[in-house]
Structures are given as C-alpha cells and as structure tokens.
Amino acid sequence: MERIYVLDTTLRDGEQVPGAKLTGAEKLEIARQLAVLGVDVIEAGFPASSPGDFEAVRTISREIRGAGVTALARAVQSDIDAVWEAVRDAEQPQIHIVLGVSDIHLQGKFRRSREDILAMGVEAVRYAKKFTPYVQYSTEDAGRADLGYLTQTVTAVIEAGATVVNIPDTTGYCDPREFGRIILTIKNEVPNIDQAILSVHCHNDLGMATANTLAAIKNGARRIEATINGLGERAGNTALEEVVMALKVKADFYGAMTHIHTEEIARTSRLVSSLTGIWVQPNKAIVGSNAFAHSSGIHQDGVLKNRQTYEIIDPHSVGITESRIVLTARSGRHALRARLRDLGREVDDARLEQFHQQFLELADRKKEVYDEDLLSLLAEQERTHEERAYELLALKVSLGTNSIPRAVVTLRFPDRREETAEAQGSGPVDAAYSAIDQLVGKQARLLEFSLQSVTEGIDAQARVSVRIEIDNDVFIGRGIDSDIVLSGVKAYLDAWNRAAFRESNPTLVRA
Ligand code: KIV
Ligand code: ZN
C-alpha cells in the first residue's frame, strides 16, 4: 500500500468562504480536532493577510503536536518572513509558497514573463530554505498551464530545495483524465521528482475535485490537499472525507491509504460546520445527514436483511453511531461531562459549570436532550466566549392575523450601554432585524436565511443560519433556540458580531 499524506487546508482555503471568518479560538479548536483526526499537515492560515491570522497561526503552531503546521506565503520575502515567524514553534514547521504558472495568471496578475516568474519562484524557495528544510511550492493554476513550462518550473523549484511540489487545479477546470495526465507527465518528465513529494490541490467548480484528486493519486501523486466538508473558494476544495473514504473502501483499486482516523470524520465535520456556520447539505457524501439514511421501502427491507445491499460504508467507520444517549434535566454535571467527552469535547470546570446551567435551561424547555442539541449548545457557548460587541438583553414580539408584526429589542453595547428600539416588519423576524439595524446604526442586507430543526419533535431546537451583507462584505451568523424567532434573532446578531470582530481585525490581503 502506498502512503498518501494529507494536508488539511480548512483553516486557510476553507476559511476563504465568504463570511466563514473564524476567531483565533475557533481556529485552534478545529486544529486540535484535525490533529486527532490524524492529518499530516495543517495549513493554519495566511499570516501576511492580517495580524489576527498571524496570531492564530502562531498559537496553533505552539499548541498543536502530532501534525506539521504550514501557512501560505506569496513568493515575496515579507510574506515568507511572516510565515516563518508564525510557524517556527511548530513541531514540524513548514512554509508554503504560491506563485502562478499559467499564462492567464502571469499576464493577468503579474504582467511578467515566464522567465521572470520562474526566477522569482526559485529565489523565494531559496529564501524560505534558510528557515526550514520543509518548503512547499504551489504552481497556482497548473490545471490551465502550459505543460512544458509547468515541468520546467517544477524541476527548477525542486533544484532550489522545494520538498513538496503542489499542483493545483485552482479554477476546478480539469477533467480527471486530463488532470491524471498532468500528474503522470510531471512524474515521468521531471528528472528530480524523486527528491520531492508530489502533491495536488483541486477545486470543485465542475464538481470534479474528488475525482481529480483520486485520478492524481492513480497517476503518482503522494500527497493531497483537502478541506473538511469540501469548504473553500467558490465551489470549494476536494472534500477530505471523500478521498479518504474512497481510498479506504476501494483499497484494492487504489493500492493506497492515508493515516486518517476515519472514526473521527463525523465529529470533525460537525465541529467545522458548527464553528463556520456552514451547514452540510443533507445528501453530501460521507457526512451529510442522509448519507446513511435509507428511505425507500425496498431499500429499508434490503438493509434490514443485510446492510451491504445498499451500504458500501459502515457508518461506524466514519464515527456515526446509532446509539443515542439522551440526557434530561436530572442529568448532573458528571453525566454531562462524560457525554461531552464521548463526543470528543473536553471542557474545564468553569466552562462545565456555565454549560450545565445552559443545559438545564434547555432541558427544562425540551425534555430530552440529544447529542446534536449538546453540540449546538456548546458551539453557541464557544462563540459567546469571544468578545461580543452586541448582546441581546431582551426581545418582545407581537403579531396576529390582523395586525402588523412588531418587535422591541434591547441590546447591550461594549461600553455597557443598554438601548432599546422598536420596529415593524413583514413578520416578527423582519421587525426584529429592523430594530437591531436601528440600534447598530447601519443597515445590513439579508442574503440568506435558513432554518433547520436540530432533532425531531415539536420541542426540537431550531437552528438558523443567515448570510448578511454589510458594506460589501458578507458575514455568516448562526443561532439556536427552541423558539424560532429567537434563533433567527440570535443568528442575525451573531453575524453583526462577526462584522464587528472583522472591523477590529481587518484583513490586509486575500490569498
Ligand atoms: O487554489 C490554489 O491554487 C491555492 C494555492 C494556494 C494552493 O489555494
Ligand atoms: Zn485553493
């Protein structure tokens, strides 16, 4: 079996999803889980992009053991310096340099010749090698590049000391046969390819990221870059869980395997989804809520007789268990901590105390508390740990068949000032959103509002996710409550808080 190394870029490419900006604490929590999942390298961010990102990468480098940590740099010394300062305390610090290789990028972005860009890349690798032996070079937009120039570039950067050469299909343009051929050509025609690890990074614009990554493995790639739940720019990146499970389920066909602890996949997916606020589509392979649900009578009958009739993956192997432990208001701190531990979440005494109170409030309203409820509640508590600009103190709504819906909202501001506003709208949520806009002193444009129930039953918690636009920037917010209106208001305020967080941690450049 060939070993396939896995670089997870959820915290860098994944975080480039509009509105999915994570706080430092959220990034660290995801990094911890990625280490438990067993990824080989965590790409923790793009340090030159903002002081906040720099700090997050540095904290992750200092805290995480058991996985290498890398971060992105453009091929300029100041970016490489920033990466090195941020990753230097990692167990295995790495530097990731990216520079365009397609003529479209060279002419459109840089307006420089192929020779100039090649020299710039080589110089950047030599510079990065002064800091660490582990230097990765990514040939951005390789999927649309001239193959001769691509092989020339790969040869030159390996010669300069790159230990990983990454071939990105940046725009998700390739077909699996095409992409496989690119990898095979590099494998066969780059004379020093055995001195570096050949890696791939695919985007999903045509829905072929997983197929392209697998085709690359078939043709000699030995490392993949991927994200949890397939998050990433535009249509996203290769979903880590899909490639890992394809290699596992079809081990005979691929003859390759990763060191990922697949039983941690579901937990990691849930954590990323709850912290980024980007829900996983129900029919998403491996981690969607329907991925192991059989609905048609014929299928159910088949599965009851023998699971394998309609199931190619044992749900336990990705961490989905059928057993549901239900907690109630009588469950004490001990039971709560034990359940959280089973779900992979450690909380210290102070947090447990606070969490127990919130749990009791929920258990009073909702007799049975399921794992999904606990995880959602925990995600909400984690976010409220971060500094919040606006805190909801009170909400009152009135509506009826023959009256205009109205809402009265009271917020607390960072300077502890409390203010109330009243507004009317097409419904109670709309009215409350207008009241919040009045209080904040700015108007947001609601781009998306989605409502899901966390568990079954009339007392289920409602989970709302919103996307709002403020000053041309998009922010995601999430809220959860057994009251639909309140969960909608919490989500809206969460998005406003993220906007305030961004204002105090501006992004200087984007990858
Ligand atoms: O898509 C891309 O080309 C990238 C590089 C930085 C690897 O994200
Ligand atoms: Zn990318």
Side-chain angles (χ1 to χ4, degrees):
M1 282 281 177
E2 286 285 348
R3 165 87 187 269
I4 303 297
Y5 295 91
V6 178
L7 175 145
D8 181 279
T9 182
T10 307
L11 297 177
R12 201 274 302 164
D13 214 320
E15 210 214 9
Q16 288 173 209
V17 174
K21 191 87 193 132
L22 295 160
T23 64
E26 288 167 339
K27 280 188 152 201
L28 180 59
E29 175 147 23
I30 291 176
R32 285 207 174 100
Q33 179 57 29
L34 291 173
V36 172
L37 180 67
V39 305
D40 300 290
V41 183
I42 296 170
E43 184 166 45
F46 178 23
S49 70
S50 71
D53 218 39
F54 177 90
E55 265 320 310
V57 176
R58 185 153 68 175
T59 308
I60 288 169
S61 301
R62 290 179 175 169
E63 297 272 328
I64 299 297
R65 291 296 172 258
V69 178
T70 192
L72 188 66
R74 291 163 299 180
V76 292
Q77 293 195 355
S78 54
D79 275 28
I80 296 170
D81 290 342
V83 169
W84 177 244
E85 279 312 310
V87 302
R88 62 186 304 158
D89 296 329
E91 192 171 272
Q92 199 193 74
Q94 311 190 7
I95 297 175
H96 177 187
I97 298 165
V98 62
L99 187 58
V101 74
S102 68
D103 286 338
I104 300 175
H105 276 229
L106 266 49
Q107 282 152 21
K109 252 170 60 169
F110 304 107
R111 298 185 201 289
R112 308 231 339 231
S113 68
R114 288 183 177 180
E115 294 69 31
D116 273 7
I117 292 291
L118 185 49
M120 189 175 161
V122 164
E123 197 185 311
V125 172
R126 290 208 182 108
Y127 183 71
K129 281 297 269 196
K130 294 189 182 146
F131 300 114
T132 171
Y134 308 107
V135 174
Q136 165 177 349
Y137 189 90
S138 282
T139 50
E140 192 183 19
D141 202 21
R144 293 187 298 169
D146 174 77
L147 208 43
Y149 180 58
L150 177 63
T151 50
Q152 191 192 348
T153 302
V154 170
T155 311
V157 296
I158 296 176
E159 176 73 33
T163 45
V164 176
V165 281
N166 186 38
I167 310 301
D169 181 21
T170 304
T171 55
Y173 172 75
C174 289
D175 160 280
R177 277 152 300 198
E178 263 175 319
F179 198 60
R181 262 200 306 274
I182 294 175
I183 300 305
L184 194 62
T185 307
I186 291 173
K187 195 96 190 103
N188 290 338
E189 291 181 16
V190 170
N192 50 3
I193 194 67
D194 55 337
Q195 289 165 36
I197 295 176
L198 183 52
S199 166
V200 290
H201 173 112
C202 297
H203 278 269
N204 204 30
D205 300 64
L206 291 173
M208 292 197 272
T210 296
N212 283 340
T213 301
L214 290 167
I217 291 171
K218 259 303 205 195
N219 284 282
R222 289 296 164 258
R223 201 189 73 169
I224 62 149
E225 298 197 353
T227 58
I228 302 299
N229 301 336
L231 292 183
E233 278 282 343
R234 306 180 310 280
N237 286 67
T238 303
L240 180 148
E241 61 278 5
E242 293 177 10
V243 175
V244 167
M245 290 314 291
L247 294 181
K248 186 166 175 161
V249 170
K250 298 176 76 69
D252 290 347
F253 179 73
Y254 288 106
M257 49 115 183
T258 65
H259 280 191
I260 293 292
H261 305 302
T262 59
E263 319 73 46
E264 293 291 332
I265 283 177
R267 184 175 295 156
T268 315
S269 162
R270 273 195 298 243
L271 178 68
V272 168
S273 156
S274 73
L275 292 183
T276 57
I278 300 172
W279 313 129
V280 174
Q281 75 194 58
N283 57 323
K284 163 86 180 60
I286 319 293
V287 290
S289 55
N290 290 347
F292 299 97
H294 303 275
S295 71
S296 100
I298 297 172
H299 285 217
Q300 286 174 350
D301 179 57
V303 168
L304 286 172
K305 287 177 179 142
N306 176 1
R307 293 202 79 95
Q308 286 178 356
T309 22
Y310 288 103
E311 240 173 46
I312 58 164
I313 298 169
D314 176 356
H316 291 95
S317 71
V318 294
I320 295 174
T321 52
E322 279 148 80
S323 76
R324 289 191 135 193
I325 308 254
V326 180
L327 298 177
T328 68
R330 285 181 301 284
S331 308
R333 290 170 188 73
H334 247 77
L336 190 57
R337 172 171 267 155
R339 192 66 210 132
L340 287 175
R341 198 166 279 152
D342 286 347
L343 292 168
R345 313 299 290 273
E346 284 292 341
V347 288
D348 60 27
D349 288 347
R351 251 177 98 190
L352 181 70
E353 196 49 49
Q354 204 187 4
F355 187 63
H356 188 240
Q357 285 312 314
Q358 289 171 320
F359 161 77
L360 287 180
E361 280 166 30
L362 177 65
D364 269 349
R365 276 181 279 135
K366 182 179 186 304
K367 286 169 210 62
E368 296 180 327
V369 179
Y370 296 98
D371 291 351
E372 293 86 341
D373 294 316
L374 284 183
L375 289 169
S376 301
L377 199 61
L378 196 61
E380 186 163 272
Q381 193 208 33
E382 273 149 9
R383 266 174 299 123
T384 55
H385 256 221
E386 294 291 329
E387 248 181 70
R388 284 179 308 172
Y390 316 109
E391 198 179 337
L392 179 68
L393 293 184
L395 167 72
K396 216 158 135 187
V397 293
S398 63
L399 72 158
T401 42
N402 292 319
S403 61
I404 298 174
R406 307 189 72 79
V408 183
V409 177
T410 306
L411 295 187
R412 181 184 284 142
F413 290 77
D415 57 5
R416 312 302 291 165
R417 174 173 45 98
E418 293 175 12
E419 278 187 32
T420 300
E422 183 172 354
Q424 58 185 47
S426 56
V429 173
D430 181 37
Y433 284 12
S434 296
I436 291 173
D437 285 356
Q438 269 183 50
L439 289 167
V440 173
K442 239 188 208 175
Q443 222 178 343
R445 195 157 76 89
L446 184 65
L447 303 176
E448 194 180 301
F449 179 101
S450 82
L451 171 73
Q452 267 188 331
S453 121
V454 176
T455 48
E456 301 119 44
I458 191 70
D459 61 353
Q461 297 209 90
R463 182 159 61 182
V464 169
S465 171
V466 295
R467 273 192 328 125
I468 64 175
E469 191 185 293
I470 306 164
D471 297 337
N472 296 324
D473 232 333
V474 177
F475 300 91
I476 289 174
R478 293 156 290 150
I480 182 157
D481 202 278
S482 46
D483 181 300
I484 292 176
V485 177
L486 199 49
S487 57
V489 169
K490 284 181 177 176
Y492 194 65
L493 214 49
D494 184 40
W496 267 112
N497 275 321
R498 283 168 187 268
F501 174 77
R502 167 78 66 86
E503 213 170 282
S504 50
N505 295 275
T507 299
L508 306 176
V509 285
R510 282 181 77 80

